[in-house]
Amino acid sequence: HDMGKYDQQFQDFIEGERQRAVQNPKQYLSQKRKSDFDHGVYGAKYFFQTFYPGKSRRGAIVEIIAMACCYHHGGLKDCVDVCNQSPLLERFEKLDQHRIEQAYQRFSQEIQEDLTKRFHQALEELVPIIEGVTKMKDGVFCYHLLIKTIYSILIDADRMDSMCFEENRGISPVIEREQQFPAWEEYQGRFEVYLSQLSQKSSAEPK
């Protein structure tokens, strides 16, 4: 999702900020700058171009992952707008193909990751979920929840990774600690108990 940070424009921004921090740390901390560079679209477009097979369940998964990558800063957009256009594809068209190829080349030199293998692992997890969603009465709404869930997972993982980097901590101990929290079923059970108590309280109140 951060592949676009290998674009030369963003690299120049990072280097400029690094030099500012070295030359005048106090001023840097009091006047931090944010880049408006659209880096999310790079990984999204690369992923879409590489793996999209056309309209199918696999294609739906590619679109969902591409959307999460593209919009991981600023919030999700509609898949199709009121004019029957795709904001995601329109955003892709604004990106020069030469620049995405340069960014991916730099990315692949530094990040030794088999993206094809990762994608097939994602398929193994998501295809059964997609198949289940299509059978549901409220399938469209469930698709919406699935997109939101994948988006939230990306944001949470991104922020956790940033926290570990800033605190000079390994991410594995953090994950192990989180795995000690109660399972989802326990949280669900607590919530159901709370709802039943509300219902009992409401029925006991005089009309």
Side-chain angles (χ1 to χ4, degrees):
H1 70 285
D2 275 343
M3 184 188 292
K5 290 183 177 180
Y6 284 92
D7 184 276
Q8 190 59 50
Q9 180 180 340
F10 192 86
Q11 289 292 309
D12 291 342
F13 169 77
I14 292 294
E15 177 59 23
E17 291 302 284
R18 187 192 69 81
Q19 292 180 12
R20 284 183 62 232
V22 170
Q23 294 169 4
N24 194 331
K26 290 184 178 181
Q27 184 185 58
Y28 169 76
L29 291 173
S30 64
Q31 300 177 7
K32 285 188 176 182
R33 300 172 183 171
K34 289 187 177 181
S35 171
D36 59 358
F37 179 73
D38 184 9
H39 70 275
V41 69
Y42 281 70
K45 184 173 182 178
Y46 170 81
F47 191 81
F48 191 86
Q49 287 180 331
T50 305
F51 298 113
Y52 186 67
K55 292 184 177 181
S56 60
R57 288 175 183 170
R58 174 172 170 169
I61 293 171
V62 172
E63 288 189 64
I64 292 172
I65 296 175
M67 284 184 64
C69 289
C70 191
Y71 297 115
H72 73 275
H73 287 286
L76 290 167
K77 303 293 183 181
D78 292 333
C79 295
V80 179
D81 62 20
V82 294
C83 298
N84 201 33
Q85 300 297 316
S86 169
L88 181 67
L89 296 181
E90 289 178 349
R91 197 162 171 177
F92 287 169
E93 292 174 0
K94 298 176 182 179
L95 180 60
D96 180 78
Q97 185 64 28
H98 179 65
R99 291 181 67 171
I100 191 174
E101 290 173 357
Q102 283 187 327
Y104 176 66
Q105 185 176 15
R106 293 171 179 169
F107 170 87
S108 59
Q109 289 173 350
E110 185 166 329
I111 308 297
Q112 303 298 320
E113 189 69 67
D114 187 341
L115 296 182
T116 301
K117 179 180 178 181
R118 289 291 188 183
F119 173 61
H120 287 294
Q121 289 174 337
L123 284 179
E124 291 178 5
E125 292 185 48
L126 291 172
V127 166
I129 297 175
I130 294 289
E131 290 176 346
V133 165
T134 57
K135 298 175 183 177
M136 293 180 179
K137 180 180 179 181
D138 299 321
V140 174
F141 178 68
C142 292
Y143 260 113
H144 168 78
L145 294 181
L146 177 61
I147 294 170
K148 287 282 191 179
T149 300
I150 293 173
Y151 180 74
S152 297
I153 290 171
L154 172 57
I155 299 299
D156 184 62
D158 196 20
R159 290 179 177 175
M160 180 184 292
D161 187 60
S162 296
M163 178 197 72
C164 292
F165 176 78
E166 291 176 0
E167 297 182 359
N168 195 27
R169 298 163 58 189
I171 196 168
S172 295
V174 177
I175 295 175
E176 290 174 1
R177 185 189 66 194
E178 289 205 348
Q179 289 175 340
Q180 296 174 4
F181 293 153
W184 172 257
E185 289 77 10
E186 183 173 338
Y187 286 121
Q188 183 181 15
R190 294 179 189 177
F191 185 60
E192 294 292 346
V193 170
Y194 175 73
L195 289 179
S196 66
Q197 291 172 346
L198 287 180
S199 178
Q200 293 171 9
K201 181 180 178 181
S202 176
S203 61
E205 291 178 353
K207 302 297 182 180

